[in-house]
Amino acid sequence: MKRALVHAVCLATSVAAWLALPSSLWCQDQRVPATDAAAPAEVEFFERQVRPVLAERCFTCHGEKKQEAGLRLDSPSALVKGSDNGPVIDLKNPSTSRLLTAIGYEDSELQMPPDPPGKLPEAEIAAIRRWITAGAHWTADAPGAIAAADHASHWAFAPIRATAVPKVANEAWPRTAIDRFVLAILEEQGMAPAPPADRVTLLRRATFDLVGLPPDEAQIAAFANDPAPDAFAKAVDRLLESPHYGERWGRHWLDVARYADTKGYVRLAEERRFHYAFTYRDYVIRAFNDDLPFDRFIVEQLAADQLPLGDDAGALAALGFLTLGRQFTGNKHDIIDDRIDVVTRGLLGLTVTCARCHDHKYDPIPTADYYALYGVFASSEEPIVPPLIARPAGDAQTAAFQDEFQKRKQALDEYERKQYAALLDEFRARAADYLVKAVEGRVAPQQPLPKAAGEIRQLVVERWIDTIERAGERDEVFGPWHAFARLKKSEFAARAAEITTSWKSASGGSAAPRVNRAVRNRLLAEPPGSMVDVARAYGELLAQVNERWRGLVASAAAAASAAPERLADADEEQLRQVLNAPNSAVAVGMQEALWQYLYDAPINNEITKRRAAINEHLANTAQAPPRAHTLVEVAAAEEPRILVRGNPTRPGKRVPRHFLTALGQGEPRPFAAGTARLELARAIVSPNNPLTARVLVNRVWALHFGAGLVRTPSNFGLRGEAPTHPELLDFLAQHLIDEGWSIKKLHRWIMLSNVYQQASRDVADYRVRDPENRLLWKMSRRRLDFEALRDSILSAAGRLDLTLGGPSIDLASSGAKRRTLYGLIDRQGLPGMLPTFDFASPDAHSPQRYTTTVPQQALFLMNSPFLVEMAKAFAARDDVKALGNPADRVARMIGIAWGRAPSHDETKLALTFFEDDQRASASGGSLDAWEAFAQALLLSNEFAYVD
């Protein structure tokens, strides 16, 4: 008790001492650390954001073959050495690094890269600045290509093994097969497990694990006094049936899913909020409470829109797993990369996005596999208005809401359809302008901005280039284009004549490919002198055919007759399809047209305003039924191409959409159009895939024990850690599959083991031999995460609102008394208390929570208005104030906070504290003695830690 009362003072003293440390002690090592010294997040950042930039922009002049000014930038040792003029990075003062000065063009005499190609984009400069500031961690190159045999023999890619339960010497201790796997290794090391935890400790541990709340005194008493041998099993079952179980484990899953209520940085005038993000959160809670089989849980999160859901559309909310990530100001490539990352790291434990720019350096993941998955997600888009997932009520208020919604929706639809049709007509009519621009080739992608009237849309230019490349040299329409494109400018006119002459002399039996008659006649009539002439000829011919088609459609409409299905002339119909087929260069989607700012600025702004009016009505009306952020398949599935070094302006060979090659047998089977996400989901949960069950079992184990059997929970590849108990991991994974992927059964298997029920007592010798408790010789003491800590404080104060589900709330609000799970997660404005207490970043998939001890945590708990308010409420509880005897009151408050009765010494110390007439000074004057006592209990380690 004495320790509890002085806890705050000790922490304050520690803070002051820490802040007094000289800055030289904070960062003494100025070496560039290699992989093993770097945090996993920094290694990943280097591989994804920095190495590709260095390789693309710097290695040509500062690499292995060439070192201008004596500078190499392709290895950590070369980076430390610097150039002939000295070091180029300074880890003590990163902002003064000459490398940053050069790439930032801060010195007129030192600007790298020079023109051309010129200054790096700001995003690339920012990435290099962050990398240097964080310590310039560098992933050391592998000594050579990792042999295929290494991949094949790697434990994570091997099939799940049927493992025999090991025999042990101490047959009296094991209660379950889990115990035998753990005890067998302990006995090999000459170690013994800890004795069982006492009942109060065990119930508190189990209750926090399963529902994230402290047990009340009645529950503790009932369990402590239950003599039945299955008393703990009954307690576990009770907790698993609690509706708060889904809240606790739903929050764990939201870390994996990088859940947030906002989009991060968005495009101009775009709504920042995901208005219906909460429906995904509530879906996850419901899925855990219902013990939805985990394989079905995955399938719904990837492809609920492709499942036969019947009248229950609630599962559509599951697609928030994909859609609620960062929006990267509308950058399609980054959005898809984020979705690949959350799927592959979250479900498979593989860092597939490391293959975006090059084949994975360590794992059997070629770049082709990355772009195969890229094509899966590029073939989907978010609907303009999120779909309903529940039927509206039939009352008058709801009817009025629906009428207003339909009015706004109709206004949007009519306007947007009209403008969209006009936009596509413009693209078709200006085919010549776009094809001339396509002759110039691809350009580096720029941030899309609203367009001026008549401005060429580079995205459409790129689509024309794709169309021509996809057609190939033997295509009847674009074959001639390829033939002319091979000619050198200096000899174009003479050689072009040879090409057209060959058409005149070609006989019907010639092996030469057929050329579309209309294209042939046009190029024969006006022989081109350059590729620009070729482009204009094609463009004008396509525009003429399009006008002829529009005239036929208009005539049919005027005569009230059926619209024509095709042009009578086969060659002209072939040209019409170039402009009108679903995969046509001009057939951009309606969503893409807005997202990529393809409309003129006034039109873009009007569409955005009308969409915002709908979303405002949906989000701010109490009668609005819930909707979901979902995906739907686009009309023409994406035909992915490898982007060389991840550069959208350098498309390489085409790849089919398929699952990861390393997880299949032989060549992967391509996914079908329209169902690619569903096929991907089924491949992920297939019993033939050894990773998914292992990854899930490891995540659940880590949340019960504080660390997984694999200590790198989202990296099961060759650079991840091997499991401490590989046979146990496979045993649990196979058991999970055999038992129908039930997470609740998995909890029971783990929690009913003696391994889980051990005490957290220490053994000095064991601590030296196994300081991280990897062999599980005891239960590790764990600090509550922020959600459980805040919820426990509210519970102790009697202020916790246990209402389930619904829209998110502002946690910083004084009236925010709901569980922390329901707090609004704003990617650009997280409440400061969340990152202070190690909350998972919502910007990307989070493998696990990291535990830090920093001064800000103690300062928050000592000084925040929230804690002061809760301390006052705790002391003012009716069941506390009603007790007139101070000793009884002390016992009651300790029972609420710590779940146990106080010792004689603790009671004596507390009563002495209350007898002190100077208590006002001890509490700073803001709290009376009982309130200060309540705050001390809430600040104590016994409150914040679970044994």
Side-chain angles (χ1 to χ4, degrees), residues 321-405:
F321 181 71
L322 296 176
T323 56
L324 296 181
R326 292 169 64 197
Q327 296 303 292
F328 302 95
T329 61
N331 186 311
K332 172 184 176 181
H333 308 293
D334 288 343
I335 291 171
I336 293 173
D337 182 75
D338 171 69
R339 290 175 180 173
I340 294 173
D341 184 61
V342 75
V343 169
T344 55
R345 282 205 296 154
L347 305 179
L348 299 172
L350 292 177
T351 55
V352 172
T353 53
C354 289
R356 180 177 181 178
C357 305
H358 49 75
D359 289 349
H360 201 293
K361 294 182 68 63
Y362 306 107
D363 296 339
I365 305 169
T367 307
D369 276 9
Y370 175 89
Y371 286 98
L373 296 182
Y374 178 99
V376 172
F377 296 110
S379 299
S380 303
E381 66 179 11
E382 298 169 50
I384 295 171
V385 177
L388 285 168
I389 56 173
R391 291 184 178 181
D395 55 63
Q397 285 183 317
T398 303
F401 160 78
Q402 287 293 98
D403 289 344
E404 179 63 21
F405 167 72

Side-chain angles (χ1 to χ4, degrees), residues 240-241 245 288-289 291 742-748:
L240 290 173
E241 291 305 311
Y245 159 76
F288 275 99
N289 276 335
D291 200 19
S742 168
I743 304 297
K744 288 189 175 182
K745 289 182 179 179
L746 180 58
H747 288 305
R748 292 186 95 258

Side-chain angles (χ1 to χ4, degrees), residues 11 26 378 546:
L11 279 174
W26 298 348
N546 184 59

Side-chain angles (χ1 to χ4, degrees), residues 822-840:
Y822 297 110
L824 187 143
I825 305 302
D826 184 347
R827 284 192 164 98
Q828 291 173 267
L830 274 178
M833 56 186 163
L834 294 181
T836 295
F837 285 89
D838 308 310
F839 185 79

Side-chain angles (χ1 to χ4, degrees), residues 618-697:
L618 294 176
N620 298 330
T621 306
Q623 289 74 36
R627 295 174 178 267
H629 296 284
T630 63
L631 290 173
V632 294
E633 293 299 284
V634 298
E638 177 83 5
E639 299 177 18
R641 300 177 65 162
I642 295 174
L643 302 181
V644 179
R645 293 194 182 278
N647 188 340
T649 67
R650 297 182 61 189
K653 69 176 183 178
R654 296 188 181 279
V655 293
R657 298 174 302 163
H658 60 71
F659 193 42
L660 299 178
T661 306
L663 298 180
Q665 300 294 327
E667 286 297 314
R669 179 179 60 83
F671 294 148
T675 59
R677 278 185 288 112
L678 181 58
E679 292 184 56
L680 172 62
R682 287 173 173 163
I684 288 173
V685 300
S686 167
N688 296 325
N689 170 20
L691 283 173
T692 306
R694 284 178 175 144
V695 169
L696 172 62
V697 163

Side-chain angles (χ1 to χ4, degrees), residues 13 25 110 127 208 221 258 271 274 286 361 368 381 408-409 416 596 601 632 754 793 854 869 923:
T13 304
L25 296 182
L110 181 64
F208 272 114
R258 46 69 173 121
E271 171 59 53
F274 288 118
R286 186 170 60 253
K361 294 182 68 63
E381 66 179 11
R408 298 188 186 200
K409 181 70 164 55
E416 189 165 10
Q596 297 295 331
V632 294
N754 276 335
I793 292 171
V854 295
E869 179 189 355
S923 62

Side-chain angles (χ1 to χ4, degrees), residues 898-920:
W898 295 347
R900 64 171 177 83
S903 69
H904 173 76
D905 288 344
E906 288 169 340
T907 302
K908 182 178 178 181
L909 180 61
L911 294 177
T912 302
F913 171 72
F914 292 122
E915 294 170 359
D916 185 356
D917 291 333
Q918 302 301 318
R919 57 182 177 271

